[in-house]
Structure formats: structure tokens, C-alpha cells
Amino acid sequence: MYCLMKRFASHRIYMFHEGVLLKSYVVEVEALTGRVLRLYPFTDELSFTEWLGGLIVISHEKPDLSDIVVGDAISTCDGIITKKSASTEFSEDTLLYAFYICDFNVVAMSCSDSSRVIQLC
């Protein structure tokens, strides 16, 4: 089955359901549904990739901004996890979606009063 895909990259991707923060990753989503297809480390410039500064959250449902608490352990450089695997692919049964937290402070790892959640698709 052919599906249209969009590709987004960000400084930080937070796997909300696993509590894992990824540094400099790319997420591919199905254009019509927004379902996450793949995640992999950002190593080279990729054509048709939209760079989003800040934070992308991978979750089963739209997160509430009050739930985006990355925590003291992860807010330091020591807490940032960079997976060694080349890619992470998800089956069609896995219903994870990507949400961009706009106006997110990456240095402080916190939302601001003007932050909001936008589903990527």
C-alpha cells in the first residue's frame, strides 16, 4: 500500500509513552493520518525534511502541556539519550502520533505561557 509521507526533524524528540528523550532525530509521519512511521537519527541533510526547532512529542494521544514535564534528570545533558540503532520502524498496529510543541524552551526544557500543541501530519 502506498502512503504519502512527511518528514520532520528536531533538536529533541520526546517519546512520551517511554519517557525517553532523543537528541537530533527525524520522524516520518503518514500525511493523511499523522501516524508515526519511522524514527531515525539526523545524520545528513535530507530533501523534503522540515526542521522544527524545539520539541516533538511522540504519543498515543494529544498531550496536555501540563504533561510535558521532561524532569530534572532529562533536562541535563547527561539525561539525553541518543539511540544507537539506525532506525526505529513501527508496525501498522502501532498508533503513535507526532505533536510539535511550538514555543518550547529547549535550554530550560520547559513550556512557556505561549506554548501550544500542534499535531504533525
Side-chain angles (χ1 to χ4, degrees):
M1 179 181 157
Y2 177 76
C3 73
L4 297 174
M5 177 268 300
K6 289 187 178 180
R7 187 181 300 129
F8 301 94
S10 184
H11 292 99
R12 304 286 184 267
I13 294 184
Y14 185 51
M15 303 285 291
F16 186 76
H17 62 292
E18 294 180 13
V20 173
L21 186 67
L22 303 170
K23 181 179 178 182
S24 297
Y25 258 64
V26 177
V27 60
E28 291 181 356
V29 299
E30 193 173 44
L32 297 176
T33 65
R35 185 176 65 86
V36 173
L37 301 171
R38 292 182 355 141
L39 282 172
Y40 47 90
F42 177 81
T43 55
D44 296 310
E45 293 290 332
L46 298 165
S47 60
F48 304 104
T49 301
E50 184 175 349
W51 184 267
L52 299 173
L55 182 72
I56 295 175
V57 175
I58 307 298
S59 179
H60 294 287
E61 60 188 13
K62 183 177 179 178
D64 188 275
L65 285 175
S66 62
D67 294 335
I68 308 300
V69 178
V70 182
D72 293 336
I74 291 178
S75 65
T76 66
C77 290
D78 294 338
I80 296 171
I81 298 168
T82 303
K83 289 191 174 180
K84 303 289 185 201
S85 61
S87 67
T88 305
E89 294 191 31
F90 301 96
S91 70
E92 289 185 22
D93 297 336
T94 305
L95 295 177
L96 290 173
Y97 302 95
F99 300 92
Y100 176 54
I101 312 300
C102 58
D103 204 17
F104 183 84
N105 185 333
V106 177
V107 175
M109 292 305 291
S110 63
C111 296
S112 70
D113 291 339
S114 58
S115 294
R116 56 193 173 110
V117 180
I118 300 170
Q119 184 172 357
L120 300 175
C121 56

